[in-house]
Amino acid sequence: MKQVGPDLICLSHLRWNFVFQRPNHLMSRFAQEKRVYFVEEPVFDDAPPRLETKHVEANLTIVVPHLTTGTDQEASLAQQRRLIGSLVREQDIRQPILWIYTPMSLPIAADVEPSVVVYDCMDELSAFRGAPPALRERERELFSRADLVFTGGQSLYEAKRAQHPSVHAFPSSVDAAHFARAREGVEDPEDQRGVARPRLGFFGVIDERMDLELIARVADERPDFQIVMLGPVVKIDPASLPQRPNIHWLGQKSYKDLPAYLGGWDVAIMPFALNESTRFISPTKTLEYLAAGKPVVSTAIRDVVTPYGERKAVHIADATTFVAAVEAALAEPKEARLAIADEMVSATSWDKTWRSMSKLINEALQTKRSAVVRTEGNVPCSTI
């Protein structure tokens, strides 16, 4: 495979094998044309500091720093910085694209000499539970170093665009062909097979963004509705999950299996709480649900209301109207619904998003190279 442009080092707060989402889609595509090193947050054990590397695709390497248990934050950053430096030397990585998902990782890349710095701001991390107090200051520093800032949605773009001269909105996209398999009558997974109908389904991370009271309320108002919840429980006590005979917590599922679960749902739901942690989210699952051909009901997340609610692709509801919205979704004509869904899904793809991002990166590279040439051309003769 011919290498196109410099290598890419991605610093992520999300683990590659957590939930297959934006970083996975983008890095897999960049790996089609360049070496990609996906650096996760550290894990701690009793061994000396080291790097664990794993090749998951031909050009894609997952890098996990292992630090000694008990290492304090300052020493942890210093050790990661040294480990990343050793990776750059051993792999002969020269002037890579430095792609950052969390500003908190900025110090560990201090010795990397990037050709371009990209901040892919997919969420407002400072609004999440347990966010480090220093995150906002680190983000200001990252804005000062970044050449490009991408945002995971329109509302996040509006919040960030005044903080950097080159901010670009890239709402989460979709692998339409993958989720369209749900329309093909796929076999119901074993742990869902015994669940009665109608089924209301959700997949994704189950954390402080989830409106657990709403889920319980829907289950109580309509005991005949079977609510299927897929995904890891993170940052909240699993004991806080409402337990009802018609709520089914089935755990995390692999990305490849999601269409099979979706295929057995009657309505796909997004029961998000409306709070600081959901103020700027742009749920990837919106388009995935639509690609699967399912009617969708969501709470009033801003980036769902516009454009999906306004285009009648998604039913928008609150706690008092959610059941009625599900009933309306179940009753709506399938042909008209699919026409709207297909129109919205066809407008984007992860391939299109990746190509657009690549174009901006290449333009930034060219601009910086041209600036270097101009600067070198202006060196006084006496210094040559």
Side-chain angles (χ1 to χ4, degrees):
M1 186 200 72
K2 183 180 178 180
Q3 174 91 4
V4 180
D7 298 323
L8 189 153
I9 297 176
C10 175
L11 305 179
S12 176
H13 60 295
L14 299 170
R15 301 205 179 276
W16 185 263
N17 289 326
F18 178 48
V19 174
F20 200 91
Q21 52 189 306
R22 182 186 183 97
N24 307 72
H25 283 290
L26 293 173
M27 294 305 118
S28 293
R29 284 162 173 78
F30 277 112
Q32 296 172 14
E33 62 178 29
K34 62 176 85 266
R35 293 191 300 174
V36 173
Y37 299 86
F38 185 88
V39 182
E40 298 183 351
E41 290 188 330
V43 297
F44 294 85
D45 52 37
D46 294 330
R50 69 193 189 281
L51 282 182
E52 175 191 356
T53 58
K54 179 181 180 182
H55 299 287
V56 294
E57 296 176 17
N59 251 10
L60 178 59
T61 302
I62 308 306
V63 180
V64 185
H66 285 252
L67 306 182
T68 306
T69 301
T71 305
D72 63 33
Q73 184 178 19
E74 185 174 347
S76 169
L77 292 173
Q79 290 177 10
Q80 290 177 79
R81 179 175 174 176
R82 287 193 293 270
L83 290 170
I84 296 302
S86 67
L87 175 76
V88 169
R89 291 189 299 272
E90 291 167 7
Q91 296 294 315
D92 193 25
I93 302 171
R94 303 182 184 184
Q95 293 189 309
I97 297 164
L98 183 60
W99 187 291
I100 297 178
Y101 275 108
T102 170
M104 296 305 293
S105 66
L106 189 58
I108 74 173
D111 296 330
V112 177
E113 297 179 359
S115 54
V116 170
V117 177
V118 176
Y119 175 26
D120 190 10
C121 181
M122 62 182 284
D123 287 304
E124 182 56 84
L125 295 178
S126 62
F128 283 19
R129 183 175 297 178
L135 197 149
R136 290 185 183 277
E137 180 57 37
R138 287 273 169 79
E139 184 178 64
R140 283 191 286 270
E141 183 183 352
L142 180 51
F143 276 130
S144 71
R145 289 194 54 189
D147 298 288
L148 295 166
V149 177
F150 301 148
T151 67
Q154 183 64 28
S155 59
L156 199 52
Y157 165 77
E158 293 170 5
K160 303 295 183 183
R161 62 183 174 182
Q163 300 178 52
H164 190 276
S166 188
V167 181
H168 308 268
F170 283 105
S172 289
S173 193
V174 64
D175 181 346
H178 179 71
F179 286 95
R181 289 173 44 219
R183 304 187 186 192
E184 300 169 0
V186 289
E187 184 178 359
D188 218 6
E190 184 177 354
D191 58 349
Q192 183 173 270
R193 206 167 296 157
V195 177
R197 312 293 281 262
R199 296 174 186 164
L200 284 53
F202 169 90
F203 64 71
V205 179
I206 298 167
D207 57 15
E208 76 269 24
R209 294 171 294 178
M210 197 61 45
D211 191 337
L212 299 179
E213 292 183 3
L214 171 59
I215 294 170
R217 176 171 180 161
V218 172
D220 290 339
E221 287 186 16
R222 289 294 300 268
D224 58 320
F225 284 176
Q226 303 298 314
I227 303 173
V228 177
M229 302 292 293
L230 310 181
V233 179
V234 178
K235 294 188 293 184
I236 61 173
D237 184 356
S240 68
L241 303 180
Q243 302 298 321
R244 304 286 192 278
N246 57 333
I247 304 179
H248 309 272
W249 303 97
L250 300 187
Q252 185 171 355
K253 306 301 176 183
S254 69
Y255 180 74
K256 70 178 179 63
D257 290 335
L258 292 179
Y261 283 91
L262 265 167
W265 298 351
D266 299 291
V267 177
I269 60 173
M270 294 191 287
F272 289 112
L274 302 182
N275 55 32
E276 279 301 304
S277 65
T278 61
R279 182 181 174 190
F280 298 107
I281 65 171
S282 180
T284 307
K285 61 187 59 60
T286 311
L287 281 168
E288 293 171 343
Y289 287 167
L290 294 176
K294 297 300 170 182
V296 184
V297 178
S298 174
T299 50
I301 298 300
R302 182 179 171 189
D303 282 9
V304 177
V305 173
T306 304
Y308 303 101
E310 293 173 354
R311 293 286 302 278
K312 308 300 183 185
V314 173
H315 296 260
I316 305 299
D318 59 21
T320 63
T321 60
F322 208 90
V323 166
V326 170
E327 292 170 342
L330 288 167
E332 67 185 342
K334 182 177 180 179
E335 185 174 337
R337 169 171 54 78
L338 290 179
I340 297 172
D342 289 346
E343 180 183 353
M344 300 206 75
V345 169
S346 66
T348 186
S349 71
W350 283 116
D351 286 335
K352 289 179 182 178
T353 297
W354 167 62
R355 285 194 293 267
S356 296
M357 288 177 166
S358 295
K359 182 174 184 290
L360 288 168
I361 291 170
N362 290 334
E363 290 172 353
L365 279 167
Q366 186 59 45
T367 297
K368 294 185 79 170
R369 287 168 181 159
S370 299
V372 169
V373 170
R374 288 195 300 271
T375 300
E376 291 176 346
N378 291 331
V379 175
C381 293
S382 60
T383 66
I384 297 176

